Each structure stands twice: as C-alpha cells, then as structure tokens.
Amino acid sequence: MIETSPLLSDSYFSRLKALVIEVTGMAFYADKDNDLALIVADRMTECGVKDCALYLERLQADSGEMEALVAELTIGETYFFRHMEQFQALRQVVLPDILERNAETRRLRIWSAGCATGPEPYTLAILLKREFGARIDGWHVSILGTDINQKFLTRAREGRYDHWAFRATPEEIRQQCFEAVGKQWQIKAEYKSLVSFQYHNLTQNRFPSIVDNIAGFDIIICRNVVIYFSPETVADLVPRFHDTLVEGGWLVMGHAEPSMDLFRQFRTVTFPGAVLFQRQDGLQVVPTPRPAVPFPPLTVPSRPKPMPRTPPAVRPAFVPASVAPAVDPPLEQLRALADQGRWDEALAACDQLLKREALDWRVHYLRALILDQVGDAEGCESGLRRAIYLERRAVMAHYHLGLFLQRKDEAEGARRSFRNVLTLLADKPEDTIVDEGETLTAGQLRETVGMHMKLLGASQA
Ligand SMILES: C[S@@+](CC[C@H](N)C(=O)[O-])C[C@H]1O[C@@H](n2cnc3c(N)ncnc32)[C@H](O)[C@@H]1O
C-alpha cells in the first residue's frame, strides 16, 4: 500500500510546492503531491523541523538546504550511449558537418544540459576521440556538462560507474575506454580531460551568457530534462537554446519531446530513429528526410560524407564604436557578441575599445572570458589578472580567475581567488546583484564558490 504523507494536510504545503516548482522548473510535481510530500518530510526530519511554514523559512534562509532538497527531488536516470540512434546521427552527419565548418578555427564546443552524473557528456567525449581522434588532434575541444543537482555533479566529476550505466554500451568500448576499479569502472583520463562540469539551473539562470560560460556552442544536447517542465517553460527554453548555438549549430533533444511546433526557428533533420534541429539563421530550408538505412556499428571506423553545406546567413558585423549609434553602448554590444559566441567579432570589438580605453577593466575581463572560450589559456589568465589589477573589487574577475586556476590544478591560487570573492561579498545581502547587467546574486555566488572550495578541500572561514 502507498503511504500517504501527513504533510498533505499542512496549510503551507501548497506554498512549499510552488517554491519547489519555481526554483527547479519541475512542474512534474504539480500533480504529484504525495510523492513530493514524502521527499519533503524526509528532509524536514533531517533538519528537525516540524511543519511546512518553518521548513519554508529554512529553505529561504539557507541555500544549502535548498540544494539538499533539490538533490532529492531531481531524477538522475542516465546511462552511456542512451538512445544510440542519436549518437549515430551525431557521428554520421553532425560531427563531420561541424568539423568541416570549424576546420579553420579548430574549435569545438558542446553543452550537455541536465547531464546528471555524466554519462551523456562522457559518451560524446568517447565518440569524438574514437571516431574523429586524428581529425581533432590539436583542436580546442570542450564538452561542458551542467546540472542543477550538486550531488550528481560531484559524481560526474569522479567519472566512476556501476555496470548498470553500461547497459547500452558495446562491451568493447567499456573495455577500452574505462578501467576497472573494484566493482566499478573509471573513465580514462584521455576522455575525461575533454569534459568539465558546472552548476547551472536551466529555468533560473539567464542564458546565453558568456559570464556563465554558456554561449557559442556547436552542439547542445538536452535530453530527458524538459519532460519534467511545464509547456510554458519549454516554450521559453527552446528559443534560448537557439540563441546559445552558433550559426549552423545543432540541438539534440530527447526523442518524442517536445512538440515539433516549438522548433520553427530551426531546420529539422530526420535521421533513422532520431530528429535533430539545426540553427539556420535567415534561411528557409526545406527539411531533408534522411534515408532510413541502418547505421554501421559504432566501433567500425567509417568516413561518412558531410552533409551539403548551406551558405552562412548574412549577419551584421561589429560596428566600431566611432560609427556605432549612440543608443548602442559599445560594452553592451561587445557583451552581446560574446553571448552569441561570435568570438572573432567580439575580440575585434575588445581591441577597438581598448584602443580608446586601455584601462577599462570590464573590457579586459570580457576579453579574458572570450580568450578562454577560444582556448588561449595564457591570454585568459593575464586578462583576468589585468582586470583585477585595474579594479581590485571586480568580484566576477576574481571568481573566474578561481575557476581558471582550479581547472589548471593550481589549488592554492584558486583558493585565494575564491576567498577574495567571499571577502568582497561579505557585507552584501543575499539578493544583491553582484555585477551590473547580470542576474547572479550575492547569495548564489557565495553558494557556488562554497561548492568549489569544498571540492578544493578548503575551509570558507
Ligand atoms: C533524467 S536526467 C537526464 C540525464 C541525461 N540528459 C540523459 O538523458 O541521460 C534529468 C536531469 O535534469 C536535471 N534537471 C532538472 N531540473 C533542472 C534544471 N532546472 N536545470 C538544470 N538541470 C535540471 C536533473 O537534476 C537530472 O540530472
């Protein structure tokens, strides 16, 4: 018999439910009161809180408790090579298309949004290395996995899995790409090194945003995530995914989700067992149905023909500040170019601005973030340090320097940068926006920095 939670008769339960749905976007719980109440009741017992009103207060005051609740509410079902037909479509058509298009820049950026414990982004790393290793040698490849659940992200970073995560993986791939550690399997460093993970809430964090590292992707893969969201939330997300792709970039959603009508902005391409969406600015292209021939097995190397290329849409180039209209402030224009992943134009805009305002820390800061995206680590680090030198209180520059040093395994420097962030935020109330034009609050940044410091094994004191 299914247990009925006593919380259902608590008059504050509905407010609590509304808060949970607002924070996570998980409208899935709208008609699952009992499931939600059982999860909440466990957290309340853990915190020693007796009723929903007190627990609501606790959630609002303590972001750590919200994090713990979110960890229990989210559903992290995932495994390697889930829905193989989509990976076959990526391998046969999408990746060759992108590799050809990016041959000059030698860069590739992929975002796995709602990556849970990591099999999805790691599958992409395996696919890339095994199938296109020689072609991407010397490229700047980055695969970013994001999720709202910090516990999942910690496990994703570890990269160690039980046999159940391999239920759709060819045995040969498991043997070659993983090492046995006790009863588990650890992903090998050569694949792991392509992937990084970060916290990101799809329904609360604004994107595209270079400052959040969410901009200019060649592929976005977001599967089995929006099924939990309301149709309104999904209708809001799809155009934002569109804007977060570069021109010609591809969006991969879970099969059978959501309504095709939402993808009008995209070119729809049908593959055997999969439908993918390509960003095609300003062009009306008739959808190309793919022939329904089965793909050869993944482990057999093949040289598929790239899809015919569509000429790039004409887009306005960066207008130098001197001729830009007064209503279009250059820094905002620069930020917009960076958010759209138009790296080369954004860098040209930075150089233009720095000719006039060599000491503007914001330009150095944005330039450093762009250089990070294009794989210029040295330029990124010196740009961030220069921004901080010019403005010691540039909290986001300290934060990004911390992230940068953490990635370089310079733990001591990273801790120092994160401590600087906490010091600068010390007297800021939770809801204060940390930087002009951003949506990040002091509370959110403190929480994120706290998480990174935990990972670095540092005390926040
Ligand atoms: C079922 S898993 C899908 C994992 C993977 N994409 C796959 O298909 O195998 C759904 C993931 O979405 C995440 N999620 C739910 N709400 C989210 C939100 N608002 N922002 C980001 N991730 C979210 C959950 O934490 C969970 O890890």
Side-chain angles (χ1 to χ4, degrees):
M1 210 180 69
I2 299 167
E3 175 196 356
T4 308
S5 170
L7 284 193
L8 294 181
S9 53
D10 185 316
S11 58
Y12 276 79
F13 178 73
S14 56
R15 284 203 211 175
L16 203 126
K17 176 169 123 178
L19 178 72
V20 162
I21 294 178
E22 187 197 324
V23 170
T24 63
M26 294 182 72
F28 164 79
Y29 283 107
D31 60 359
K32 292 190 175 45
D33 282 5
N34 201 45
D35 294 343
L36 177 62
L38 292 171
I39 295 169
V40 169
D42 280 351
R43 284 304 318 155
M44 285 169 59
T45 310
E46 188 76 23
C47 301
V49 169
K50 282 202 209 59
D51 60 39
C52 288
L54 286 173
Y55 189 57
L56 256 175
E57 270 176 31
R58 174 75 179 258
L59 283 176
Q60 277 154 349
D62 175 3
S63 52
E65 181 50 33
M66 181 57 92
E67 190 187 307
L69 177 61
V70 166
E72 299 306 319
L73 291 169
T74 40
I75 294 145
E77 164 71 1
T78 185
Y79 47 91
F80 288 89
F81 292 96
R82 182 179 198 174
H83 200 61
M84 181 68 97
E85 293 86 340
Q86 291 185 326
F87 289 106
Q88 295 286 25
L90 287 170
R91 170 200 176 211
Q92 290 279 320
V93 175
V94 172
L95 285 166
D97 168 57
I98 295 171
L99 295 192
E100 191 197 328
R101 202 142 21 84
N102 293 6
E104 220 170 278
T105 61
R106 294 159 68 82
R107 295 194 291 258
L108 175 62
R109 278 171 60 73
I110 304 180
W111 177 24
S112 161
C115 65
T117 49
E120 188 175 84
Y122 285 139
T123 298
L124 288 161
I126 291 170
L127 185 69
L128 257 177
K129 271 263 173 172
R130 285 178 67 91
E131 303 286 326
F132 302 94
R135 278 181 74 183
I136 58 165
D137 195 24
W139 280 46
H140 177 59
V141 175
S142 90
I143 304 174
L144 175 70
T146 64
D147 204 278
I148 193 180
N149 184 322
Q150 306 271 22
K151 277 194 187 166
F152 290 166
L153 289 171
T154 304
R155 285 173 49 202
R157 284 190 191 97
E158 282 165 10
R160 200 174 297 165
Y161 300 92
D162 295 328
H163 77 284
W164 191 231
F166 299 97
R167 55 194 182 272
T169 307
E171 180 57 21
E172 186 192 335
I173 291 190
R174 181 172 73 167
Q175 294 289 348
Q176 291 174 4
C177 306
F178 293 82
E179 273 155 4
V181 179
K183 286 188 173 164
Q184 291 188 305
W185 293 84
Q186 169 75 50
I187 186 144
K188 288 190 178 166
E190 62 192 285
Y191 306 106
K192 196 165 188 272
S193 61
L194 296 183
V195 186
S196 62
F197 294 95
Q198 81 179 42
Y199 173 86
H200 184 262
N201 183 338
L202 284 164
T203 58
Q204 300 265 304
N205 298 130
R206 181 181 78 99
F207 66 91
S209 165
I210 176 113
V211 168
D212 271 349
N213 194 22
I214 305 286
F217 292 100
D218 298 293
I219 301 175
I220 298 176
I221 180 161
C222 182
R223 307 181 308 158
N224 311 300
V225 178
V226 305
I227 39 170
Y228 301 105
F229 298 165
S230 71
E232 296 75 33
T233 303
V234 182
D236 175 58
L237 280 177
V238 172
R240 291 202 279 136
F241 283 141
H242 178 272
D243 295 350
T244 307
L245 285 166
V246 294
E247 286 177 23
W250 293 79
L251 174 64
V252 187
M253 303 289 287
H255 68 299
E257 62 174 41
S259 144
M260 297 294 276
D261 210 36
L262 286 177
F263 299 94
R264 281 184 308 264
Q265 275 178 298
F266 292 86
R267 171 187 189 218
T268 305
V269 186
T270 309
F271 300 91
V275 177
L276 269 52
F277 306 98
Q278 186 177 26
R279 177 172 172 169
Q280 293 274 303
D281 297 64
L283 285 172
Q284 290 295 316
V285 184
V286 181
T288 323
R290 306 294 305 168
V293 287
F295 285 121
L298 193 70
T299 46
V300 177
S302 65
R303 291 195 186 283
K305 274 205 160 126
M307 256 207 330
R309 289 258 309 278
T310 330
V314 180
R315 306 199 63 197
F318 167 69
V319 184
S322 52
V323 293
V327 286
D328 209 355
L331 201 67
E332 278 176 28
Q333 199 180 4
L334 158 57
R335 174 65 196 268
L337 288 170
D339 282 348
Q340 288 167 43
R342 293 160 69 182
W343 313 127
D344 297 337
E345 287 168 76
L347 282 174
C350 288
D351 294 343
Q352 190 84 29
L353 288 176
L354 287 174
K355 268 191 208 145
R356 278 193 318 159
E357 289 285 351
L359 301 183
D360 187 334
W361 72 268
R362 284 174 186 279
V363 183
H364 287 284
Y365 161 64
L366 282 174
R367 188 169 185 278
L369 297 187
I370 300 162
L371 290 176
D372 195 20
Q373 303 300 338
V374 302
D376 180 350
E378 218 174 286
C380 169
E381 179 170 0
S382 65
L384 288 172
R385 290 193 188 282
R386 186 156 189 87
I388 292 168
Y389 173 77
L390 293 168
E391 173 53 76
R392 309 281 322 159
R393 287 166 303 148
V395 67
M396 291 304 288
H398 284 286
Y399 171 61
H400 278 280
L401 183 60
L403 293 179
F404 176 88
L405 295 173
Q406 189 180 24
R407 279 204 314 270
K408 270 178 66 187
D409 284 335
E410 290 187 21
E412 197 40 55
R415 282 188 204 105
R416 201 174 317 120
S417 294
F418 289 140
R419 276 196 209 103
N420 287 340
V421 173
L422 295 177
T423 308
L424 287 166
L425 293 178
D427 55 352
K428 299 258 187 303
E430 289 276 297
D431 285 343
T432 324
I433 299 292
V434 289
D435 198 11
E436 210 180 295
E438 303 299 337
T439 51
L440 190 71
T441 65
Q444 287 166 334
L445 186 56
R446 257 196 292 264
E447 185 191 334
T448 310
V449 165
M451 184 201 76
H452 287 293
M453 291 188 76
K454 256 191 244 163
L455 281 172
L456 287 163
S459 134
Q460 293 172 48

